[in-house]
Amino acid sequence: MSDRVKSTEPERLERLRGLLSGARSKDRVGRALGQGSEYGNVLLGAMLHGADRLRQGHTPTDLERLLLGALGTVVPDAEARQWGRVYREAVTGQGGRLPVVPQTITSRPVAQGYTMANLKQDLNNVVAEALAAPNVQIVDPQVAAAGGEEDPAFVEAMRQTGFAVTAFARPSASRAAVGTAEDGDRQTQEEAAGTDAEQGGGLAAPSFRLKLELENFYVRRAVGDAGWSRDEIYWTAAAASGSASGTFISEEFGAVKADQTRSFSSTNKLLFEGQSSGYLGLQIQCWEADQSSDEWWNALVKALNDAAAAIDRFMLIDNFIGFVPLWAGMAFEISKMFLFIIEAFRNYDDLSCQRAIGLDQQDLAVIAHYGKANWHFNGDGHHELRVKYAGDPVPFPVGTLRYAVRTGSTWGAPIALDFESMTPPALASYNGVLHAVFVRPADKAVMWSRLESPAGVGGGSPVWSKPERIGGDTSLYTPALTAGHGKLFYAVTGQDSGLYWRTYNGSAWSAVHRIDPAGVRYSPALATYSNRVWMVTVGLGHDLYLHTHNGTSWSTWYGDNLDWAVDKGAALAPQGGQLWRIVTGRDNSLHTSTSGGGAEWTGRGTRDPWKSNHSPALATHGDTMWIFVRGLDGDLYAGTYTGTWSGLHKVSNGAAKPMDAPTATVHHNKIHVMYRQ
């Protein structure tokens, strides 16, 4: 065992003083703890404040007990009290302000603890600071579905602090399709359209067996340690699905060099195996071994178990974690608390990189679909961890389609349809009929329905038609629709990353056509402007491309002169003699641009403080362009542009709560917005 692992209590307390003083602000641990100006390290502060209160004879609060329990896995109770003493001395000596503990903690007298209720009051601020950190990433489901590389900017950001948090973009759906692709293949198109999988009756929350194995890791940059002639790596992990949990410690990999691929032992590669109802939380660390012993590994595993359990508790207690940004905020704070504790025991540089990864049913379904996942660990070294999925098939989460209609100045209540989709829908008005397309969960088939008056004498109120499959089209992404040149244009990204399109003439769909060159991501966007159908797509390099159709053929591709890099599809709509293009950037801000009819785009600024994790929707009614966004709080918001932007208001007084991106159109002089929930 190295001396840095076999530390003494006085050594640990001295390191604690250094961390609290801010003396380490320039190195990696200091940068990690320095993230967040007002509320950063609130859990760490609550743990230290609780330790001091325990030392002075006070009973720890509910939250303090939880955090002191994690500390207690690696230090005895008597030493934990000394951590509290060192903290109190630092607070007193620095006038009540510490560089790494927020004032909401340091300003409290010893008699006043920090409770779960206090955390709930501060939670919005805690989460806001976490989401602003470049090493925290909320992944859009379409990004995961593309099966591509992680965002290079995020990978680089984790190098500065040696840790990162990745969370899924929205809560898991409570239901999943029970149909199978084979069921649909055995039926005719008309029969397949009426399966329970898409109609959505009587479905229960799914449960499935997950199994993830570590295959190998690729060394992009080796760790450096001047004290040893070899670069030695090992991996640790803790996982929890809500109903099962486990830990992992790999063998030691010696003489690790750049550009090597090192495989895990066939007898020691199980990352997690157990039942799940749509969630898996992971804490994974890559370490430089430095002759560590089993004694240290055992203590580390206990700490990891508590960290994973703490995340689960924070997701459930008092319903604090009702949606993903809150999960990310708690994971961010728990990760920093873990790093702080580890630093007191050994040189932080021995921990190359740590990641907290939360996977919901969508992400698990994508991993099961591709059979693998690659995660970067960019710290002291840069390693690409390759994970294999070997569990049961995971159904893609589905949501029931709903829509709301605005008549005059009033939104109606959301209307639920019996159709379930694994992607957001698309909506367009054509020939007096409202058309919707979505993706059936059972077999990823693109389905089509119309809102039309019933046949027969007297007609009646319009009803949605029984969904029909559009040819043999399948996708993992939202299709696109627009009316143009007397037809309904439709485009979709295929599972092969090809771009496909058709038209509907009022009675039948055309044959499917592929647009070359191949290679697109995410969902295309369609709009009609200046007597052309415009299509914007996202290339494999995350850049935007433009294609227009003049009624006879598609033009050549045009690159984006603004050089925007995006992880989501765009939204298009004409207004004021221009075509607007709006995207949600990697910073969750809405970035706007316009075209006057050519291939050049003019940047029109960012719609701050509007934020979203998903693509917006646009629709133009007269001279007014409407924008719809799913807010970070999960509500659906609407705003308008008539030369100036309005504020945002909640659709249907907050009753509309989409899972992800909405879609919108104008039909019979009314605004229609559709989403899945």
Side-chain angles (χ1 to χ4, degrees), residues 100-116:
V100 297
V101 178
Q103 195 170 8
T104 188
I105 301 295
T106 61
S107 63
R108 292 173 183 268
V110 174
Q112 183 184 9
Y114 191 74
T115 66
M116 286 286 189

PDB file of all heavy atoms in Angstrom, residues 100-116:
ATOM      1  N   VAL A 100     -15.030  27.031  -0.698  1.00  0.00           N
ATOM      2  CA  VAL A 100     -15.617  25.801  -1.227  1.00  0.00           C
ATOM      3  C   VAL A 100     -16.893  25.388  -0.495  1.00  0.00           C
ATOM      4  O   VAL A 100     -17.405  24.301  -0.727  1.00  0.00           O
ATOM      5  CB  VAL A 100     -14.595  24.644  -1.189  1.00  0.00           C
ATOM      6  CG1 VAL A 100     -13.403  24.953  -2.078  1.00  0.00           C
ATOM      7  CG2 VAL A 100     -14.151  24.342   0.235  1.00  0.00           C
ATOM      8  N   VAL A 101     -17.427  26.224   0.386  1.00  0.00           N
ATOM      9  CA  VAL A 101     -18.684  25.927   1.081  1.00  0.00           C
ATOM     10  C   VAL A 101     -19.588  27.147   0.948  1.00  0.00           C
ATOM     11  O   VAL A 101     -19.165  28.266   1.262  1.00  0.00           O
ATOM     12  CB  VAL A 101     -18.458  25.579   2.568  1.00  0.00           C
ATOM     13  CG1 VAL A 101     -19.806  25.313   3.263  1.00  0.00           C
ATOM     14  CG2 VAL A 101     -17.554  24.364   2.702  1.00  0.00           C
ATOM     15  N   PRO A 102     -20.831  26.980   0.499  1.00  0.00           N
ATOM     16  CA  PRO A 102     -21.702  28.136   0.274  1.00  0.00           C
ATOM     17  C   PRO A 102     -22.105  28.818   1.578  1.00  0.00           C
ATOM     18  O   PRO A 102     -22.181  28.190   2.642  1.00  0.00           O
ATOM     19  CB  PRO A 102     -22.918  27.524  -0.434  1.00  0.00           C
ATOM     20  CG  PRO A 102     -22.936  26.092  -0.017  1.00  0.00           C
ATOM     21  CD  PRO A 102     -21.494  25.707   0.131  1.00  0.00           C
ATOM     22  N   GLN A 103     -22.420  30.086   1.466  1.00  0.00           N
ATOM     23  CA  GLN A 103     -22.750  30.867   2.652  1.00  0.00           C
ATOM     24  C   GLN A 103     -24.071  30.431   3.277  1.00  0.00           C
ATOM     25  O   GLN A 103     -24.301  30.648   4.474  1.00  0.00           O
ATOM     26  CB  GLN A 103     -22.794  32.353   2.314  1.00  0.00           C
ATOM     27  CG  GLN A 103     -22.777  33.258   3.543  1.00  0.00           C
ATOM     28  CD  GLN A 103     -22.587  34.717   3.184  1.00  0.00           C
ATOM     29  OE1 GLN A 103     -22.617  35.084   2.011  1.00  0.00           O
ATOM     30  NE2 GLN A 103     -22.388  35.558   4.183  1.00  0.00           N
ATOM     31  N   THR A 104     -24.938  29.807   2.499  1.00  0.00           N
ATOM     32  CA  THR A 104     -26.176  29.299   3.092  1.00  0.00           C
ATOM     33  C   THR A 104     -25.895  28.259   4.171  1.00  0.00           C
ATOM     34  O   THR A 104     -26.725  28.027   5.045  1.00  0.00           O
ATOM     35  CB  THR A 104     -27.096  28.689   2.007  1.00  0.00           C
ATOM     36  OG1 THR A 104     -28.359  28.380   2.587  1.00  0.00           O
ATOM     37  CG2 THR A 104     -26.492  27.430   1.411  1.00  0.00           C
ATOM     38  N   ILE A 105     -24.681  27.671   4.135  1.00  0.00           N
ATOM     39  CA  ILE A 105     -24.250  26.731   5.180  1.00  0.00           C
ATOM     40  C   ILE A 105     -23.393  27.442   6.216  1.00  0.00           C
ATOM     41  O   ILE A 105     -23.631  27.346   7.428  1.00  0.00           O
ATOM     42  CB  ILE A 105     -23.468  25.559   4.573  1.00  0.00           C
ATOM     43  CG1 ILE A 105     -24.324  24.811   3.539  1.00  0.00           C
ATOM     44  CG2 ILE A 105     -23.004  24.606   5.671  1.00  0.00           C
ATOM     45  CD1 ILE A 105     -25.532  24.125   4.107  1.00  0.00           C
ATOM     46  N   THR A 106     -22.369  28.183   5.773  1.00  0.00           N
ATOM     47  CA  THR A 106     -21.415  28.785   6.723  1.00  0.00           C
ATOM     48  C   THR A 106     -22.058  29.840   7.612  1.00  0.00           C
ATOM     49  O   THR A 106     -21.564  30.129   8.705  1.00  0.00           O
ATOM     50  CB  THR A 106     -20.229  29.411   5.975  1.00  0.00           C
ATOM     51  OG1 THR A 106     -20.705  30.440   5.101  1.00  0.00           O
ATOM     52  CG2 THR A 106     -19.491  28.365   5.154  1.00  0.00           C
ATOM     53  N   SER A 107     -23.160  30.448   7.157  1.00  0.00           N
ATOM     54  CA  SER A 107     -23.818  31.486   7.960  1.00  0.00           C
ATOM     55  C   SER A 107     -24.681  30.915   9.081  1.00  0.00           C
ATOM     56  O   SER A 107     -25.168  31.664   9.934  1.00  0.00           O
ATOM     57  CB  SER A 107     -24.687  32.370   7.054  1.00  0.00           C
ATOM     58  OG  SER A 107     -25.726  31.602   6.450  1.00  0.00           O
ATOM     59  N   ARG A 108     -24.865  29.607   9.104  1.00  0.00           N
ATOM     60  CA  ARG A 108     -25.734  29.006  10.115  1.00  0.00           C
ATOM     61  C   ARG A 108     -24.995  28.821  11.436  1.00  0.00           C
ATOM     62  O   ARG A 108     -23.868  28.319  11.456  1.00  0.00           O
ATOM     63  CB  ARG A 108     -26.248  27.645   9.635  1.00  0.00           C
ATOM     64  CG  ARG A 108     -27.198  27.744   8.470  1.00  0.00           C
ATOM     65  CD  ARG A 108     -27.590  26.394   7.883  1.00  0.00           C
ATOM     66  NE  ARG A 108     -28.441  26.638   6.735  1.00  0.00           N
ATOM     67  CZ  ARG A 108     -29.769  26.703   6.787  1.00  0.00           C
ATOM     68  NH1 ARG A 108     -30.377  26.501   7.956  1.00  0.00           N
ATOM     69  NH2 ARG A 108     -30.481  26.969   5.712  1.00  0.00           N
ATOM     70  N   PRO A 109     -25.633  29.171  12.528  1.00  0.00           N
ATOM     71  CA  PRO A 109     -25.029  28.855  13.834  1.00  0.00           C
ATOM     72  C   PRO A 109     -25.055  27.340  14.055  1.00  0.00           C
ATOM     73  O   PRO A 109     -25.794  26.604  13.397  1.00  0.00           O
ATOM     74  CB  PRO A 109     -25.935  29.584  14.826  1.00  0.00           C
ATOM     75  CG  PRO A 109     -27.251  29.709  14.124  1.00  0.00           C
ATOM     76  CD  PRO A 109     -26.920  29.880  12.665  1.00  0.00           C
ATOM     77  N   VAL A 110     -24.261  26.894  14.997  1.00  0.00           N
ATOM     78  CA  VAL A 110     -24.152  25.461  15.258  1.00  0.00           C
ATOM     79  C   VAL A 110     -25.498  24.855  15.613  1.00  0.00           C
ATOM     80  O   VAL A 110     -25.810  23.721  15.238  1.00  0.00           O
ATOM     81  CB  VAL A 110     -23.126  25.202  16.384  1.00  0.00           C
ATOM     82  CG1 VAL A 110     -23.099  23.727  16.762  1.00  0.00           C
ATOM     83  CG2 VAL A 110     -21.749  25.677  15.951  1.00  0.00           C
ATOM     84  N   ALA A 111     -26.328  25.590  16.309  1.00  0.00           N
ATOM     85  CA  ALA A 111     -27.616  25.044  16.752  1.00  0.00           C
ATOM     86  C   ALA A 111     -28.600  24.846  15.607  1.00  0.00           C
ATOM     87  O   ALA A 111     -29.588  24.121  15.754  1.00  0.00           O
ATOM     88  CB  ALA A 111     -28.228  25.964  17.801  1.00  0.00           C
ATOM     89  N   GLN A 112     -28.345  25.485  14.461  1.00  0.00           N
ATOM     90  CA  GLN A 112     -29.273  25.411  13.328  1.00  0.00           C
ATOM     91  C   GLN A 112     -28.731  24.462  12.269  1.00  0.00           C
ATOM     92  O   GLN A 112     -27.744  24.752  11.606  1.00  0.00           O
ATOM     93  CB  GLN A 112     -29.496  26.800  12.721  1.00  0.00           C
ATOM     94  CG  GLN A 112     -30.500  26.826  11.585  1.00  0.00           C
ATOM     95  CD  GLN A 112     -30.619  28.198  10.944  1.00  0.00           C
ATOM     96  OE1 GLN A 112     -29.837  29.102  11.239  1.00  0.00           O
ATOM     97  NE2 GLN A 112     -31.586  28.350  10.066  1.00  0.00           N
ATOM     98  N   GLY A 113     -29.381  23.332  12.102  1.00  0.00           N
ATOM     99  CA  GLY A 113     -28.944  22.361  11.109  1.00  0.00           C
ATOM    100  C   GLY A 113     -29.466  22.683   9.717  1.00  0.00           C
ATOM    101  O   GLY A 113     -30.220  23.640   9.509  1.00  0.00           O
ATOM    102  N   TYR A 114     -29.051  21.873   8.754  1.00  0.00           N
ATOM    103  CA  TYR A 114     -29.488  22.017   7.360  1.00  0.00           C
ATOM    104  C   TYR A 114     -30.286  20.770   7.008  1.00  0.00           C
ATOM    105  O   TYR A 114     -29.751  19.659   6.996  1.00  0.00           O
ATOM    106  CB  TYR A 114     -28.285  22.192   6.440  1.00  0.00           C
ATOM    107  CG  TYR A 114     -28.655  22.615   5.032  1.00  0.00           C
ATOM    108  CD1 TYR A 114     -29.066  23.919   4.766  1.00  0.00           C
ATOM    109  CD2 TYR A 114     -28.591  21.713   3.972  1.00  0.00           C
ATOM    110  CE1 TYR A 114     -29.397  24.325   3.479  1.00  0.00           C
ATOM    111  CE2 TYR A 114     -28.920  22.107   2.686  1.00  0.00           C
ATOM    112  CZ  TYR A 114     -29.331  23.412   2.439  1.00  0.00           C
ATOM    113  OH  TYR A 114     -29.663  23.805   1.161  1.00  0.00           O
ATOM    114  N   THR A 115     -31.568  20.940   6.717  1.00  0.00           N
ATOM    115  CA  THR A 115     -32.501  19.835   6.571  1.00  0.00           C
ATOM    116  C   THR A 115     -32.863  19.580   5.108  1.00  0.00           C
ATOM    117  O   THR A 115     -32.514  20.357   4.211  1.00  0.00           O
ATOM    118  CB  THR A 115     -33.787  20.129   7.344  1.00  0.00           C
ATOM    119  OG1 THR A 115     -34.442  21.253   6.718  1.00  0.00           O
ATOM    120  CG2 THR A 115     -33.492  20.468   8.810  1.00  0.00           C
ATOM    121  N   MET A 116     -33.597  18.498   4.889  1.00  0.00           N
ATOM    122  CA  MET A 116     -34.143  18.229   3.565  1.00  0.00           C
ATOM    123  C   MET A 116     -35.042  19.380   3.116  1.00  0.00           C
ATOM    124  O   MET A 116     -35.033  19.767   1.947  1.00  0.00           O
ATOM    125  CB  MET A 116     -34.954  16.926   3.588  1.00  0.00           C
ATOM    126  CG  MET A 116     -34.107  15.664   3.644  1.00  0.00           C
ATOM    127  SD  MET A 116     -33.342  15.341   2.046  1.00  0.00           S
ATOM    128  CE  MET A 116     -32.685  13.699   2.359  1.00  0.00           C
TER     129      MET A 116
END
